[in-house]
Amino acid sequence: MSPLDWAVLILTLLGIVAFGSWRSRGVHTTESYLRAGKDIRWWTIGLSVIATQASAITFLSVPGQAYQDGIGFVQFYFGLPIAMVLLSAIALPVYHRLSVYTAYQYLEQRFDRRTRQLTALLFLVSRGMASGLAIYAPALVLSAVLGWPVLWTNFLLGAVTIGYTVAGGSRAVSRTQTAQMAVIFVGLVIAFGVAVAQLPPGFSFGQGVALAGALGKLQGVDTSFRLDTRYTLWSGLFGGLFVQLAYFGTDQSQVQRYLAGGPLAESRRGLLMNGLLKVPMQLFILFIGVMVFVVYQLSPPPLFFNRPELDRLRASHPTEVARLEDTQAQLFAAKRQTIDAWMRGEASRDELRAAEARVQALRKETGALVARTRPGADSKDADFIFLRFVLDHFPRGLIGLLVAVILSAAMSANSAALSALGATTVVDFYRPRHPDASDAQTLAVARASTAVWGLVAVGFASFASLLDNLIQAVNVLGSLFYGPMLGVFLVGFFLARVGGRAVFWATVAGEIAVFAAAAFGNLGFLWYNVLGCAVVLGLAPLLQRVWPRPSPT
């Protein structure tokens, strides 16, 4: 990056941190550290909820997802607006009435401590691993920008995130996320504008959209009923509804965001704001990825978007890389002729797709060569597509701003997750065993727990390069746990006669069923959420008949 880009990046990040530090000054009690003092307004809650979900993975991996598979990923979010309405009507009043710090406190009051801590443990495991992925994504950015090994940037970003979160807690997270989302929205609009501006002279935006459609990138809705397909209308409406209900209703990283609101109405408005904005925001990010795809249909793309890996491959196998680059040049020239013929009505859509398939096959061949020549290397480059576009095509100054957008999202999501992990550890495991601990002792344990979970996340980030696509990895990981977690809460809300022993073992069975489906079945991962929840809801009443509650005396 140029000195101007570094100046924009550093000033933007310092400004965000300074704003958050100023707005969250005076955090000296457990109440303000874990629950932000309960004086956050609805628009801050709404932006905080969006920012917590919109990690750096969103801005790195989602455009790459659209580049490869089109905008069909948006179906994952189709159940979200419905989930926001249901949670506002059902879960929020319960949490506010009980004045809980974590969602899992409710489960002890409704069932027993064992059920509470089992569900809290499922959250800690799933969110701890997901936080590692959220650290790895921006580490890719710094690695590409600085030329450092990803392992080093993992540790650097982990250290910054841990220090930032340990110092300010939930209040710092909520306050800072407002500024972070402002930077993110501005950056997204600029990214879209730059992508459109990269279209060659004489090639209009409308023609670019038509080309993307012809190549299958604009198919946003799949109405098929195939259960082995990841993204369909039905998996989004049903499987997606379950995962959104579980994420926003039982995942403490989100629950903590809207429990910060004072009156119930503030939290409700914040959740409904998320329901209105999230789907259009994700569609817009996907469409940016589609426009990047169009740009690389009309100008030569990199042979492999992960430039550090390509440079290492070129150094070790120059002849092989030269052969691949010559082949790519020939295939691209042929594809460009096919595109021009298609625009004139002289080539069919099938010919167009066949030409693109040959280019993509060469890209996969390059990735396979990377894997063969350097064991353990990242042979997948989808998560590098948008970053490579930014570094190659953005003007000076704007590169720094877009990198700031990605790092802002990382700071936002990571700090929220680590704050929630620390809060759950203290409230659901430390406090029940140390009911006489002073506020100062509890605050110290909360900070220490947050730091420890940060170290766990950094450790897991070291393995993230083995995954295919980060945004899918995060969603698959959540789907392994969210269904049974949601089932516990639904039993609590709606099946009044079911007790703790029955729901505990139903939850264990639900988790076993999900892992069995993932290991041995061919079920789309969104349906894991339905399966896990259905097992808990169906089995808990049956087990209750085996273990009836003792009659009151």
Side-chain angles (χ1 to χ4, degrees), residues 14-85:
L14 286 179
I16 290 172
V17 173
F19 174 79
S21 300
W22 175 69
R23 293 299 305 272
S24 60
R25 61 194 183 278
V27 176
H28 303 300
T29 65
T30 304
E31 167 73 20
S32 59
Y33 189 82
L34 298 182
R35 203 159 53 179
K38 291 183 70 67
D39 60 351
I40 308 296
R41 299 301 304 274
W42 66 269
W43 56 83
T44 301
I45 294 172
L47 291 174
S48 184
V49 167
I50 296 171
T52 298
Q53 191 179 27
S55 68
I57 296 174
T58 301
F59 303 101
L60 283 175
S61 195
V62 170
Q65 174 86 8
Y67 186 101
Q68 294 195 140
D69 302 322
I71 64 172
F73 177 67
V74 73
Q75 296 169 111
F76 173 78
Y77 295 96
F78 280 180
L80 188 145
I82 304 171
M84 296 302 97
V85 173

Side-chain angles (χ1 to χ4, degrees), residues 227-229 517-518 521-528 531:
L227 296 180
D228 59 345
T229 301
N522 194 29
L523 193 65
F525 75 86
L526 283 176
W527 295 107
Y528 298 166
L531 173 64

Side-chain angles (χ1 to χ4, degrees), residues 334-384:
K335 183 180 72 172
R336 186 59 201 268
Q337 291 178 352
T338 304
I339 291 174
D340 292 340
W342 177 80
M343 295 297 295
R344 297 191 303 267
E346 299 171 359
S348 68
R349 187 175 64 175
D350 290 340
E351 291 176 298
L352 193 64
R353 293 188 177 189
E356 169 61 12
R358 288 189 286 271
V359 173
Q360 293 306 316
L362 185 69
R363 180 170 149 230
K364 291 181 180 179
E365 182 182 345
T366 307
L369 180 61
V370 169
R372 289 198 308 271
T373 56
R374 199 167 76 88
D378 187 359
S379 62
K380 308 294 193 304
D381 67 343
D383 293 317
F384 291 84

